[in-house]
């Protein structure tokens, strides 16, 4: 198992480039199921979640090949085992997004019900409700979701709102299923995240007829077949936001390339409000901090609000402001595993339900800490860059799920991160 030893404090300066989006890549890889043949996903990041998704597709019968320039070819000519097995789904919840495409193509699918998750209870009831609306029979058997639509799916009005807003992967599942359904589907309360926009754009290049892309109402005119895609995935907005927070927490200056500011406006707005400069540059932006940080109130929300996937990183950042900040988590109310670990680094945090009061401290102090999930581990890396001393971050495999070789990308701009196998 790998650990990071991170020496701090450092000041980051220079330029970093954002990779292709993990959360856009995963449902687009699943979209390859819809069209027999060779699809190519360009700019696919080298991440363990992408490899796990590859294994999942291979078990279905697909062939995958990594080419040059991060091209990932998925040959879905044969799908003879429409089953998402437990041993893979338990490693990556996003595996659930093969359910809709398998139902559409094979008219049946069996996918393990995702289990527990470090960021809290994550049901898939809305996914299943949406697919039932399209005419699928969906049952639970021995821990598996068993879905059948022997005569094919039928378009309908589907409402995907839930207690915490819409659902990103639920929208992906129902949208992909609807592309090959008979007739028109209207998805109300669809997720508007850039990853869903990217998926919908990719589906349209395959021959799907989707309107309203980027809005909470998607209309889909079902077609008889789709063609394989050649698609370049969008830049990862969460990686971009993490680099922004890294510049800010280290009082540094980073040029962040391959970053679409429109995808991170809530984050940019928050950074500006606490005294960090963000200026747009050629293919991205320059983020710089010269003075002290001001306090903030952050409430996570569906896009275009502040993303839950940056809540932990911004908690690390706000830990070093003068005064009290408030963070309210409205998407995953229990996503606070990082609170205890940041406290071990001398952050002053008080959790009340799904709210954390961050009382700023003058400095963070290095400590051995444990990564618990992907974004929590990014927060620990950020805290370690600013903390005094050498921090050891255990269970680095969590960060490798969503950030490609982060040490090799931050060390050239001033970080001192060593990966060690223990
Ligand atoms: N929800 C339900 N029922 C459902 C589905 C969702 O109640 O059937 C609830 C969830 O429990 C949550 C809220 O709805 O409270 C939103 O969850 P959503 O379904 O949108 O999450 P997701 O699609 O499973 C994706 C990302 C997450 C990101 C969330 C929210 C991928 C692979 N995952 O998950 O990313 O936090 O959207 O933006 O796209 C990460 O990258 O670290 C990560 C966790």
């Amino acid at each position: 198992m790998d650990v990071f030893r991170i020496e701090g404090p450092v000041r980051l300066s220079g330029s970093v480039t954002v990779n292709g989006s993990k959360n856009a890549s995963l449902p687009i890889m699943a979209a390859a199921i819809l069209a027999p043949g060779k699809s190519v996903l360009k700019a696919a990041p080298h991440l363990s979640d992408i490899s796990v998704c590859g294994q999942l597709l291979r078990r279905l019968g697909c062939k995958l090949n990594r080419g040059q320039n991060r091209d990932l070819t998925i040959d879905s000519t044969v799908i003879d085992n429409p089953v998402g097995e437990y041993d893979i789904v338990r490693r990556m919840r996003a595996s659930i997004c093969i359910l809709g495409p398998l139902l559409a193509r094979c008219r049946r699918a069996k996918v393990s019900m995702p289990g527990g998750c470090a960021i809290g209870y994550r049901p898939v009831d809305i996914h299943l409700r949406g697919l039932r609306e399209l005419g699928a029979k969906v049952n639970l058997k021995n821990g598996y979701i068993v879905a059948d639509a022997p005569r094919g799916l039928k378009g309908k009005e589907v409402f995907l709102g839930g207690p915490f807003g819409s659902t990103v992967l639920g929208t992906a599942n129902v949208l992909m299923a609807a592309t090959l359904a008979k007739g028109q589907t209207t998805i109300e309360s669809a997720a508007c995240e850039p990853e869903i926009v990217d998926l919908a754009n990719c589906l349209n290049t395959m021959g799907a007829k989707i309107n309203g892309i980027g809005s909470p109402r998607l209309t889909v005119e079902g077609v008889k077949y789709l063609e394989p895609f050649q698609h370049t995935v969008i830049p990862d907005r969460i990686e971009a936001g993490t680099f922004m927070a890294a510049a800010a927490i280290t009082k540094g200056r980073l040029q962040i390339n391959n970053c679409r500011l429109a995808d991170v406006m809530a984050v940019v707005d928050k950074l500006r409000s606490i005294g960090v400069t963000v200026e747009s540059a050629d293919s991205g932006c320059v983020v710089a901090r010269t003075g002290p940080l001001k306090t903030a109130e952050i409430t996570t929300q569906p896009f275009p609000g502040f993303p839950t996937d940056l809540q932990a990183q911004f908690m690390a950042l706000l830990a070093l402001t003068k005064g009290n900040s408030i963070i309210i988590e409205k998407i995953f109310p229990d996503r606070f595993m990082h609170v205890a670990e940041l406290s071990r680094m001398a952050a002053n945090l008080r959790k009340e339900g799904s709210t954390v009061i961050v009382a700023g401290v003058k400095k963070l102090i290095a400590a051995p800490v444990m990564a618990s999930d992907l974004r929590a581990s990014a927060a620990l890396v950020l805290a370690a860059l600013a903390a005094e001393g050498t921090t050891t971050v255990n269970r680095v495999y969590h960060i490798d799920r969503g950030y490609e070789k982060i040490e090799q990308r931050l060390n050239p701009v001033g970080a001192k991160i060593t990966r060690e196998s223990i």
Side-chain angles (χ1 to χ4, degrees):
M1 203 186 301
D2 288 357
V3 302
F4 278 157
R5 309 243 187 254
I6 305 178
E7 271 179 59
V10 294
R11 180 175 296 230
L12 299 188
S13 167
S15 93
V16 286
T17 299
V18 173
N19 284 337
S21 161
K22 165 181 89 78
N23 287 350
S25 294
L26 296 171
I28 293 175
M29 287 173 74
I33 294 170
L34 292 165
K38 281 188 186 172
S39 287
V40 183
L41 180 62
K42 295 169 181 281
H46 287 278
L47 297 170
S48 55
D49 270 12
I50 300 292
S51 309
V52 173
C53 188
Q55 286 173 34
L56 184 72
L57 295 177
R58 278 198 186 94
R59 295 265 187 103
L60 305 178
C62 299
K63 293 183 180 140
L64 276 85
N65 185 39
R66 265 284 183 185
Q68 288 184 335
N69 302 328
R70 296 166 183 274
D71 283 6
L72 177 63
T73 303
I74 303 166
D75 182 348
S76 64
T77 306
V78 176
I79 294 201
D80 51 10
N81 178 40
V83 181
E85 282 162 26
Y86 174 65
D87 66 319
I88 298 189
V89 178
R90 75 183 168 81
R91 289 164 60 199
M92 191 187 67
R93 295 183 56 86
S95 306
I96 188 73
C97 66
I98 60 172
L99 183 60
L102 280 179
L103 250 180
R105 172 155 168 193
C106 308
R107 300 188 170 191
R108 68 193 169 95
K110 188 176 155 190
V111 178
S112 173
M113 184 82 172
C117 176
I119 70 179
Y121 178 47
R122 294 174 72 182
V124 291
D125 55 318
I126 305 172
H127 299 233
L128 306 189
R129 202 175 68 207
L131 295 171
R132 283 190 181 110
E133 291 287 347
L134 297 185
K137 267 199 207 145
V138 184
N139 291 302
L140 282 182
K141 203 174 170 193
N142 306 121
Y144 277 79
I145 300 160
V146 181
D148 283 286
R151 280 192 239 123
L153 297 167
K154 270 198 187 153
K156 210 177 162 194
E157 282 190 359
V158 180
F159 179 73
L160 292 186
F164 302 99
S166 189
T167 156
V168 175
L169 291 177
T171 301
N173 250 331
V174 176
L175 179 64
M176 288 192 275
T179 56
L180 291 176
K182 268 186 219 132
Q184 181 170 304
T185 300
T186 304
I187 304 177
E188 295 285 1
S189 196
C192 303
E193 271 65 10
E195 294 77 15
I196 294 297
V197 171
D198 200 31
L199 170 67
N201 285 333
C202 174
L203 291 168
N204 274 355
T205 68
M206 298 169 76
K209 293 188 176 158
I210 304 168
N211 280 305
I213 296 174
S215 81
R217 175 184 290 159
L218 295 170
T219 55
V220 189
E221 199 60 56
V223 294
K224 288 218 162 97
Y225 62 90
L226 295 170
E227 301 283 352
F229 61 77
Q230 296 239 353
H231 182 79
T232 303
V233 72
I234 55 168
D236 195 311
R237 66 191 168 106
I238 305 303
E239 187 171 87
T242 304
F243 288 153
M244 290 176 176
I249 201 169
T250 62
K251 296 186 192 143
R253 185 177 190 282
L254 284 181
Q255 160 135 6
I256 301 172
N257 304 315
N258 193 32
C259 158
R260 305 194 312 182
L261 278 187
D263 290 352
V264 281
M265 270 324 288
V267 180
V268 170
D269 179 63
K270 206 49 75 180
L271 284 169
R272 287 181 176 149
S273 77
I274 63 173
V276 178
T277 314
V278 183
E279 279 166 6
S280 70
D282 281 352
S283 72
C285 61
V286 175
V287 180
R289 173 181 154 205
T290 46
L293 291 173
K294 292 181 207 145
T295 58
E297 183 176 325
I298 292 179
T299 303
T300 63
Q301 285 172 329
F303 188 82
F306 191 94
T308 173
D309 291 343
L310 285 168
Q311 179 254 107
Q313 298 89 319
F314 272 67
M315 190 179 294
L317 176 61
L318 293 176
L320 287 168
T321 56
K322 195 170 176 224
N324 292 340
S325 297
I326 295 178
I327 296 183
I328 305 168
E329 175 55 65
K330 292 261 189 174
I331 308 291
F332 295 112
D334 296 324
R335 192 178 201 173
F336 286 120
M337 298 282 277
H338 43 284
V339 168
E341 298 304 298
L342 288 172
S343 302
R344 302 192 70 252
M345 299 180 73
N348 187 354
L349 308 171
R350 185 186 162 91
K351 180 174 163 322
E352 292 286 344
S354 55
T355 298
V356 171
I357 300 161
V358 185
V361 292
K362 281 209 174 112
K363 61 179 181 187
L364 293 171
I365 302 170
V369 285
M370 189 78 83
S372 55
D373 76 76
L374 169 55
R375 308 304 171 188
S377 52
L380 297 177
V381 170
L382 295 185
L385 293 173
E388 266 180 21
T390 303
T391 297
T392 304
V393 181
N394 292 285
R395 298 193 182 166
V396 159
Y397 60 86
H398 282 295
I399 204 163
D400 293 335
R401 291 185 47 206
Y403 297 87
E404 184 180 322
K405 298 197 175 96
I406 196 162
E407 73 282 19
Q408 291 181 20
R409 294 156 75 208
L410 292 181
N411 285 347
V413 294
K416 294 177 186 165
I417 308 176
T418 318
R419 183 187 287 261
E420 285 175 22
S421 291
I422 54 164

